[in-house]
Amino acid sequence: MFNANDKTNAPKEPVMKKRAESKTPPPPPARGKFSRSFTPSSAKKGRATEYTKQVKEFLEENNDTETIIIMPDNDLARDLSDSYGFVIHANRVDADLMWHLLVFESSITPVAMEEVKDRSRRGTREEKIFNFESTSDAITDELVKDFEDWILNTVEVSGQLYFTNATVVPVEVDLSAAETVQMLACDAEDSNILIANVDEPFSAEMLAQNSSLRAKLTFTPNEEAVTLGGMPLRSDLQIAISETFREKNVSQIRASSGSRTLLEIDAFVNARWVGNELPDRDQDFDPATYIPEVVMTQSNPYHQDVTSGNFERFFLGLAAMMFLKDNDLWMKQFESNMHNSHAKLSGLAYGMFWPNNEIPSDINLVDEDPTESANWLRKVLYRTERSRNIPVEFAVLINESTLGYATQKLLLDVADGDLTAVDKLVKVLSNLTDGVSDDVMIVQRSSDVISGQIRVPVGYYTTADGNRPIEEIDTLHIMNTLKDNYPEKLDDYFEIVQIDDREFNHEESMSKMIAILNLVTDGQFKLKGFGTKLYINPEFLQGLAESVKHGDSGLGMELDSNVELSNRGGRRNTGRRTTAGLSTSPLGNQRRRHSSNRNVGLSSRYR
């Protein structure tokens, strides 16, 4: 907990306008604890009440009188939907009040859909197109104002009110688990701390004298992985950043080394289709049609040994992702998934142009032998013009209004062209690297950080083995599922995933993508909301990695030489086979062609 009476921790820059003093009522008498006997009858409000009860009990046990946990009373509740429960988590910083809103859903599919009927149809296929509104979309400025008016009449506030965003709690989240409730409260408090600008920056000064930073890579498809809030999470590879230290001149019976975890990252690798041009008669055929993208699905800063510097540690994690480029380590994910029927690399052949439209009969060899898999990937993935290196894209998937959103929203604000956010980012990087980034990197505008973005549906799908993250339905999964019976859907999919040159507008893209996800999952997809996939400028990432590794930063992060690889069941064939020939797409030449010049523009993020 931070000290609200410490004047040195005052916010440096206000993030919201001060409410007009004429509208502020006289402060009510000072209260001890705010507690209600209001007992809602609906299940969603019951979940909010249960959360409030547990958090208050925790605060009382820790003698915390500064944190405020309240639920709307009847005066405000009558203007709110009965489909949600609401809790306000507030912290005082001097005279100001930082407040975070937790919204508890009651529906498994909380996204509202309205069909768009008055529009110009493209093509001949009659498909329904919808407008969507998720729970986070419904948290408007007007709603925030209603809550702030109520707060000013309920809690004594002599300074300013600062809204620190909202966290949406899906109905699937188990609030009977104490660790889940504590994580929600911890994240709400962190949101208040970050907006108040009273968080202690993370830098080398927090490391022990004889310590070093290590990034540990593990390629293990974790089917039990969940988000910080307990929802299904795709985690095919994990990166753990730890501080390791060793004491000198100790006896053999005393501990001579140790470590503490600073950050954990979950991610996966996808082969994103970017298209290709058919060669002229006198040109050699180049089958390269895909770009590998490493997608971060979660950054977990919550570890008992370190509780501050969330912004800095997030970018430390981004820098660590660059280790995946060393010796094409990212390829190991495809090897760890070799025995997954939905991840057969041969499926990539169906998204490519081939001479004579002929698929070789031995194409299945690339699914059986790791050596053939690597050879195949190097044939179908783009390379830079002057080297044999395969350019890898790095992206961050940000699920709107979930745990950790306060930290990642800085990137969203940068992507939206907010120059204040750009300045904040520059300061964060300078804090992390002890000023090295100021000399190594040039960050002046959004495009210096973000090379592109797309909005994507998020949620999960149900199988006989439980709920699975919808991010598992990637290019390989869709290709292997639809290539035989629904090839026309592949055209839609390839168009939807374009960053800078999409034919479809936002409503069409989301409607078509959701239809594809329902088709692939046999109608078992549960749409929970939307996320934004931000593609990081490769020059920014390179500069960030160089700054972190630089000796003057004091960090000197290195890759742990022991890279772990675990297969998803089954035994792989290690025998050497004849290389499979190159195949053709059954979609032929009717596919819209794309050049290899990607990321030439910055797409807007839809809200």
Side-chain angles (χ1 to χ4, degrees), residues 364-376:
N364 64 309
L365 293 183
V366 303
D367 303 320
E368 301 173 3
D369 184 348
T371 301
E372 295 303 329
S373 298
N375 290 339
W376 173 244

Side-chain angles (χ1 to χ4, degrees), residues 316-333:
L316 182 65
L318 273 184
M321 291 178 68
M322 290 292 284
F323 284 123
L324 289 164
K325 294 183 66 175
D326 294 354
N327 299 315
D328 293 332
L329 283 173
W330 54 269
M331 279 192 181
K332 290 185 177 292
Q333 180 195 296

Side-chain angles (χ1 to χ4, degrees), residues 293-296 314-315 318-319 321-322 392-398 408 411-412 414-415 425 441 446-453 499 532-544 599 602:
E293 58 179 23
V294 180
V295 183
M296 178 197 295
F314 174 78
F315 286 98
L318 273 184
M321 291 178 68
M322 290 292 284
V392 183
E393 293 183 340
F394 291 87
V396 179
L397 177 57
I398 301 176
Q408 297 179 339
L411 271 184
L412 287 176
V414 169
L425 172 60
M441 307 173 66
S446 173
S447 58
D448 293 332
V449 183
I450 306 298
S451 60
Q453 56 180 300
I499 296 177
T532 303
K533 186 188 289 187
L534 294 180
Y535 289 86
I536 311 301
N537 187 316
E539 293 184 1
F540 172 85
L541 273 179
Q542 186 64 38
L544 175 60
N599 300 337
L602 179 66

